[in-house]
Amino acid sequence: MTATAPIDPTSTEAWSRLAGLAGLAAGFSPDLRGWFDTDPGRADRFTLQAADLTVDLSKNLLTEEILTHLVQLATEINVAGRYQAMIAGEHINVTEDRAVLHTALRRPKDGADLVPPTGFVVDGQDVDADVHSTLDKVYAFAEKVRSGTWTGITGKPITTVVNIGIGGSDLGPVMVYEALKPYVQEGLECRFVSNIDPVDVYEKTAGLDPETTLFIVASKTFGTLETLTNARLAREWLWNQLLSTGAIDDTDAARIEAVAKHFVAVSTALDKVAAFGIDPENVFGFWDWVGGRFSICSAIGTSVIIAIGPDNWREFLSGFHVLDEHMRTAPIDQNVPVLMGLLNVWYSNFLKAQSHAVLPYAQYLHRFPAYLQQLTMESNGKTVRWDGSPTTIDTGEVFWGEPGTNGQHAFYQLLHQGTRMVPADFIAVANPAHPLKDEAGDGASVEPGQDVHALFMANFFAQTKALAFGKTADEVRADGTDESIVPARTFPGNRPTTSILAPALTPSVVGQLIALYEHIVFVEGIIWGIDSFDQWGVELGKQLALQVTPAVQGDADALQSQDSSTKSLIAKYLKLRN
Ligand code: F6P
């Protein structure tokens, strides 16, 4: 266990100063209009660069004074020192007594000037050597699948890869696969099974040719009920399909051979994988110092590595690494993840924001909000600090979102005019993978030949402008609006946003974006004094699901032992079942 006790952030001088500025009793009154009007340099000063990401913080409820105290808070809490401790392999995951080394997964092979230096050893393990030998093994396997050298049991090359996993063993691969679709090799497709709802396996195997399908069972623990159940369903599907077409004989040997050719696994629990029947040769390992939600750079990414190829994957990893280096070396007032993490603390703890929206203006990032939900909420939704003492302040914002412009036509009403302040991150790229022109136009505001991405980006820019500056009652009146609806058409403004702009959705940029949010989560967790790397809160539900299962299967005694609400719900369910 680490000896370092969390510092109570409320005991710092910076916290008192921030509380004073927020005017908790009097009410903070931000003035983005005034701040921009009186300070022409605001946008420039608050726009930072982290690798390819241009990050405009100027439309946040931030002044120089607030920034000074936020920076001081990070200094007093020693965020930089904790980050150094993390990347060096200290057991900062205190409740599980583990190192937290996802940053080691993307260190370049034999990189010069690495911190810690190449070949560093943690708990007796040469981390770099193990990371790179596993990556090389995955790359070699991926090349075999991509080239058609790896074949199914009837000698046909693989055309579909089905990743079976859940949580971090699903959300990362599916999000990155979707984000990097333009890089997927022609003729290859990935599908992702996660839910134990049987329709998920049913739908994802529908229409597949078993002879050209490869299943990857991805589970850090290889003990997750959903994943193992789905893996068994998939194995059954494979056998039945191959038997029905006569591709295999009805023998154990043929079944074993089919699994060897059509199933591989990614796990830290090699013994359990072997028990499932997967050839140990076809297992890609990782380590307990990689948390599930931080595991996309490990062999958990095997499905995506097959789809986009090792070269693109190396570029993806390099994007993470460059952000890791930014996090490690940039001064706090220029450090994008640190400042974004501090702003989130400012909004959560001082301005009482309840949630945080992430709004990608890039359709290929449509699973990014879902990915961030696990990353942020499984990490920071805690009520005790890493030494077991209770937190005395709010932790863990609710992260949510949808791609723009879809969100605009759904929930932006609340962002613009609701009673709650929802800080929002807007993410866009300058160059879409598939630029299209609207050749016809609409004869009015859309010119013939209009670049559609420019229209899309106009929304990106307009929304943050509207949120920041609003529309006053006088401006509404000046439009000739009937007085009775002036209040309804007035926009208060001062709704904080961060705009993140990248040149294009390349593998490196996707890596940079993920690393950015990983580090934001880290910063918030350290300020709050919580262990962002455990997830005990998911355990009770898992235990109770097992306890409730006999009742759901019709065991009368088990049903009787439930609380009255659960009992009557299960009874109703049993009645409704055909
Ligand atoms: O239940 C939560 C969790 O443990 C996540 O943290 C993890 O990403 C997910 O389940 C899947 O776990 P595994 O990879 O071990 O199957």
Side-chain angles (χ1 to χ4, degrees), residues 72-192:
Q72 190 194 339
L73 178 64
T75 309
E76 286 186 72
I77 300 282
N78 191 19
V79 169
R82 292 295 292 179
Y83 186 72
Q84 299 286 353
M86 180 180 91
I87 64 173
E90 273 187 40
H91 286 203
I92 70 159
N93 178 352
V94 179
T95 71
E96 296 181 308
D97 195 13
R98 286 179 185 165
V100 176
L101 280 171
H102 46 279
T103 49
L105 298 169
R106 52 263 192 152
R107 281 155 55 93
K109 208 177 205 171
D110 307 319
D113 306 326
L114 286 175
V115 176
T118 300
F120 78 116
V121 171
V122 173
D123 301 328
Q125 181 186 9
D126 181 337
V127 172
D128 288 319
D130 282 0
V131 164
H132 285 286
S133 78
T134 303
L135 271 178
D136 288 345
K137 188 175 165 190
V138 179
Y139 291 159
F141 173 70
E143 290 292 20
K144 277 196 212 160
V145 176
R146 288 165 64 80
S147 65
T149 318
W150 179 282
T151 58
I153 192 159
T154 56
K156 291 187 183 167
I158 299 300
T159 57
T160 310
V161 176
V162 180
N163 187 81
I164 302 174
I166 197 164
S169 301
D170 166 72
L171 288 162
V174 70
M175 182 275 281
V176 175
Y177 176 74
E178 291 296 320
L180 296 178
K181 269 266 172 72
Y183 295 84
V184 173
Q185 176 169 295
E186 223 184 300
L188 272 177
E189 183 203 1
C190 290
R191 296 186 183 188
F192 298 86

Side-chain angles (χ1 to χ4, degrees), residues 166-169 218-224 227 292-293 300 374 378 535 538-539 542:
I166 197 164
S169 301
S219 175
K220 179 177 169 181
T221 55
F222 224 78
T224 304
T227 299
R293 54 196 174 275
I300 283 292
Q374 187 199 17
E378 195 166 87
Q535 57 284 318
V538 299
E539 293 305 321
K542 287 186 196 172

Side-chain angles (χ1 to χ4, degrees), residues 357-361 365-366 369 400-408 410-412:
V358 182
L359 309 166
Y361 279 66
L365 286 177
H366 69 109
W400 59 283
E402 274 290 317
T405 55
N406 303 9
Q408 289 173 209
F411 53 79
Y412 277 36

